[in-house]
């Protein structure tokens, strides 16, 4: 496989062809913020927090789904990008109901951490206060659609790692929401194996274990990493 030479924030690096900008930046020790990205599952560029500037390209491109090219000159921390990222986080907070003080993920929330990272302490946009409802029909877990940011991590983890295909995205535009089964209550979906991978993958308090209290929610990402590595290395193939 051929090697591509490029520049990220003034540092020249060489990576394999087919590598994404996000992967190349990680190899170079450059941090690019993300929310929808999760190691081990396909990237879809949903959150747009990983937008970068590329010399000669007029629009900003998502680093997680843009492959490197020879001679690329990439900027990841410009003032323009910082303003865009803060605006994106503000929009995520304003379009949902993210009241941290009563959320099971308070202190263990990637959206909350991202707000701190981008310097967001308020939003300029009016709150929509949607009434998206909750689904507590499952014996072990619950989903609060008000806290969902539509990163689709749960969809991809359930599809690509567990193979159960329980989750999907329903409706269109601002009315989009995560659906279970054929838009059934979660507890009625026979395909659900109750593995909890969607809970571990969720970056907010949208999907949670029943009985969890505020600031108690912690996720075991090592379980997902172990499964991905085991499958890639064919450790269970005889």
């Amino acid at each position: 496989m051929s090697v591509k030479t490029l520049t990220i924030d003034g540092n020249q690096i060489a990576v394999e062809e087919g590598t994404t900008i996000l992967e190349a930046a990680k190899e170079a020790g450059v941090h690019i913020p993300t929310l929808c990205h999760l190691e081990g599952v396909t990237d879809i560029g949903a959150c747009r927090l990983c937008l970068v500037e590329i010399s000669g390209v007029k629009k900003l491109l998502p680093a997680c789904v843009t492959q490197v090219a020879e001679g690329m000159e990439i900027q990841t921390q410009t003032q323009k990008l910082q303003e865009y990222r803060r605006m994106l986080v503000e929009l995520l907070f304003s379009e949902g109901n993210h009241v941290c003080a009563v959320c099971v993920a308070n202190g263990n929330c990637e959206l909350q951490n991202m707000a701190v990272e981008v310097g967001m302490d308020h939003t300029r946009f009016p709150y929509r206060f949607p009434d998206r409802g909750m689904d507590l029909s499952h014996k072990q877990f619950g989903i609060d659609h008000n806290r969902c940011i539509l990163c689709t991590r749960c969809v991809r983890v359930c599809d690509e790692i567990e193979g159960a295909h329980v989750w999907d995205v329903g409706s269109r535009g601002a009315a989009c929401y995560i659906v279970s089964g054929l838009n059934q209550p979660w507890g009625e979906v026979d395909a659900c194996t109750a593995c909890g991978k969607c809970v571990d993958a969720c970056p907010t308090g949208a999907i949670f274990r029943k009985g969890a209290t505020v600031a108690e929610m912690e996720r075991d990402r090592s379980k997902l990493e172990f499964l991905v590595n085991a499958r890639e290395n064919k450790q269970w193939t005889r």
Side-chain angles (χ1 to χ4, degrees):
M1 185 174 287
S2 63
V3 173
K4 302 295 182 182
T5 303
L6 59 146
T7 302
I8 300 180
D9 293 341
N11 300 312
Q12 191 174 65
I13 63 170
V15 294
E16 289 185 353
E17 183 181 16
T19 302
T20 66
I21 294 175
L22 184 62
E23 292 169 335
K26 186 176 180 180
E27 286 187 28
V30 176
H31 171 67
I32 299 178
T34 63
L35 274 176
C36 68
H37 171 74
L38 184 65
E39 291 291 336
V41 295
T42 304
D43 283 308
I44 60 169
C47 71
R48 316 307 279 185
L49 278 166
C50 68
L51 290 174
V52 295
E53 289 191 66
I54 302 175
S55 297
V57 180
K58 292 183 179 180
K59 61 182 180 180
L60 304 178
L61 295 177
C64 65
V65 292
T66 304
Q67 294 186 0
V68 299
E70 182 65 33
M72 263 187 175
E73 295 182 9
I74 303 164
Q75 295 292 327
T76 70
Q77 299 296 331
T78 65
Q79 184 65 32
K80 180 179 180 179
L81 290 171
Q82 292 172 358
E83 291 174 356
Y84 267 63
R85 288 167 183 162
R86 175 172 174 166
M87 180 181 68
L88 286 166
V89 176
E90 288 181 36
L91 287 168
L92 288 173
F93 271 91
S94 65
E95 72 176 7
N97 291 319
H98 300 284
V99 186
C100 299
V102 292
C103 179
V104 295
N106 188 23
N108 294 292
C109 173
E110 290 180 45
L111 178 62
Q112 191 180 63
N113 293 342
M114 189 58 63
V116 174
E117 180 176 337
V118 301
M120 184 217 130
D121 56 8
H122 70 283
T123 176
R124 295 163 285 177
F125 306 101
Y127 287 97
R128 295 182 61 236
F129 298 113
D131 184 11
R132 296 173 177 163
M134 299 177 65
D135 182 355
L136 301 175
S137 60
H138 197 285
K139 290 182 180 180
Q140 296 176 243
F141 312 117
I143 178 169
D144 183 352
H145 295 284
N146 296 286
R147 305 187 189 281
C148 178
I149 59 172
L150 289 173
C151 66
T152 72
R153 283 187 183 182
C154 58
V155 177
R156 289 173 283 150
V157 164
C158 190
D159 181 8
E160 300 175 19
I161 297 181
E162 182 62 17
H165 314 285
V166 171
W167 301 106
D168 211 329
V169 180
S171 196
R172 301 183 68 179
C176 279
Y177 65 105
I178 296 296
V179 298
S180 50
L182 298 175
N183 202 12
Q184 307 160 259
W186 188 1
E188 296 179 10
V189 181
D190 293 335
C192 181
T193 62
C195 67
K197 293 183 181 64
C198 55
V199 182
D200 290 328
C202 182
T204 66
I207 306 179
F208 54 90
R209 289 178 174 84
K210 285 185 174 180
T213 57
V214 174
E216 192 178 60
M217 184 174 184
E218 294 185 6
R219 302 171 182 84
D220 184 10
R221 294 281 162 72
S222 62
K223 177 172 62 178
L224 301 180
E225 183 180 353
F226 167 78
L227 290 170
V228 169
N229 290 336
R231 292 186 180 187
E232 287 181 351
N233 296 328
K234 296 181 170 52
Q235 292 178 356
W236 298 322
T237 302
R238 296 184 180 182

